[in-house]
Amino acid sequence: MGRLTSTALGEFDDFLTATLIDQVYWLPTRKFDSNYQSNTEGNNQVIATLCCSVIKQQDIPTAVSQLLQLDKFTQFIASCSGTKHAFGIHLRKYLNIYLPDCPFEVSNTDRFGPKSQGAAIIARAFVKKGQDIKYLQGIKARVDTSEQEAMKHSGQDFSLLKLDIGTYTMVGPASLVNHSREFNARLSRRGLFIQVIAEEDIEIGQEVTIYYGEEYFYPGVEVLENSEEEEVIRAARLERHRKLYGQEWPTRSK
């Protein structure tokens, strides 16, 4: 795929999370560009492609081809910093999370406060300790000192990973995994990619979380480990799943 800049990855991720998550699940995800304006044009065609080509037919190449023909996709590719090929690879990672064998689903959380709704990754299949969480992957790009300062100044440094080989930003489905001191998963580096692995058995309905470190959050941000709105959020998640997949939320067979 070649080296991707953090700028190109951020552009890819803002567009894809807005198009394939925000406008499907109607929940907010954080953006690299704090001034990003979402475009709802072609939203019905996007959802139709997800339901037919991805969920029913499980045909990712066809889904990619159909989406890349939509005006909003062609316009984005023409204006972004990255290549069409690199964008297609990133697009596939987000489409994979709608496949029936995906063991998780995107939901929402208010663990950062009732006025700070955000995305969360919820298991919809049992994941055994030590297993890769299928499709829960990300892509990393090195961020130099000037880029770090710019991201910190704009409040977009939430995605920075301090690794022993340098500082990176992460995008893709794995970037939606939230921090918790009682984490049940971890990140594993696989070349350019990041894979999320279960640190303990993860049951259906549990949120997948990782530990970002004590200094991950800036001053004033409080993480609510037990949300008062948990049942409301759970009910909304079950309803979204039923409408999208045409069936009820799965249960684990003992």
Side-chain angles (χ1 to χ4, degrees):
M1 181 170 59
R3 186 181 184 277
L4 280 174
T5 65
S6 58
T7 298
L9 283 172
E11 290 174 353
F12 289 173
D13 220 56
D14 284 355
F15 177 82
L16 291 173
T17 54
T19 304
L20 298 179
I21 295 179
D22 300 13
Q23 295 167 25
V24 175
Y25 287 105
W26 296 109
L27 59 89
T29 53
R30 297 187 71 172
K31 300 291 183 281
F32 285 84
D33 180 357
S34 57
N35 297 314
Y36 184 84
Q37 296 293 318
S38 182
N39 176 11
T40 59
E41 176 189 354
N43 190 41
N44 290 336
Q45 293 168 292
V46 170
I47 293 177
T49 296
L50 291 176
C51 291
C52 183
S53 298
V54 180
I55 295 173
K56 292 182 181 179
Q57 298 176 2
Q58 302 175 43
D59 188 347
I60 296 297
T62 294
V64 170
S65 177
Q66 291 171 338
L67 292 176
L68 291 180
Q69 293 177 42
L70 297 181
D71 287 345
K72 68 185 301 181
F73 279 78
T74 58
Q75 291 168 8
F76 170 77
I77 292 170
S79 64
C80 73
S81 303
T83 66
K84 182 177 180 179
H85 174 69
F87 175 76
I89 293 174
H90 203 52
L91 170 59
R92 283 175 172 82
K93 291 194 177 299
Y94 276 105
L95 292 178
N96 285 340
I97 71 177
Y98 288 97
L99 288 169
D101 68 337
C102 180
F104 65 88
E105 197 161 302
V106 181
S107 185
N108 59 316
T109 180
D110 64 351
R111 63 161 54 233
F112 307 112
K115 295 182 179 180
S116 302
Q117 288 282 327
I121 297 296
I122 306 296
R124 68 180 188 197
F126 173 73
V127 183
K128 190 175 181 179
K129 177 181 178 179
Q131 286 185 337
D132 287 3
I133 302 179
K134 193 174 184 179
Y135 305 132
L136 195 48
Q137 300 174 335
I139 303 173
K140 71 180 191 298
R142 186 183 290 273
V143 180
D144 62 30
T145 303
S146 61
E147 289 175 316
Q148 291 179 49
E149 288 301 316
M151 294 175 74
K152 184 176 181 179
H153 180 73
S154 63
Q156 303 306 304
D157 55 342
F158 60 88
S159 64
L160 292 180
L161 294 173
K162 303 287 187 179
L163 305 177
D164 54 0
I165 55 175
T167 300
Y168 289 79
T169 185
M170 181 175 66
V171 297
S175 67
L176 301 176
V177 180
N178 287 318
H179 161 92
S180 176
R181 291 182 177 86
E182 298 178 358
F183 58 95
N184 53 19
R186 63 179 175 85
L187 301 177
S188 174
R189 302 199 304 268
R190 311 267 176 95
L192 285 174
F193 301 101
I194 297 286
Q195 173 67 51
V196 180
I197 300 176
E199 275 283 271
E200 57 185 49
D201 288 351
I202 302 176
E203 298 288 344
I204 292 173
Q206 269 191 291
E207 181 179 359
V208 178
T209 57
I210 57 179
Y211 183 68
Y212 281 82
E214 289 298 328
E215 298 180 357
Y216 174 71
F217 293 104
Y218 49 85
V221 175
E222 179 183 3
V223 181
L224 307 177
E225 295 292 346
N226 296 296
S227 165
E228 295 179 357
E229 302 296 326
E230 183 177 345
E231 285 304 314
V232 174
I233 291 173
R234 178 178 177 275
R237 180 176 74 245
L238 299 183
E239 180 64 13
R240 283 195 302 267
H241 179 91
R242 185 185 64 78
K243 288 182 177 180
L244 191 61
Y245 289 87
Q247 60 188 29
E248 300 301 323
W249 185 268
T251 57
R252 183 185 176 191
S253 56
K254 300 295 184 180

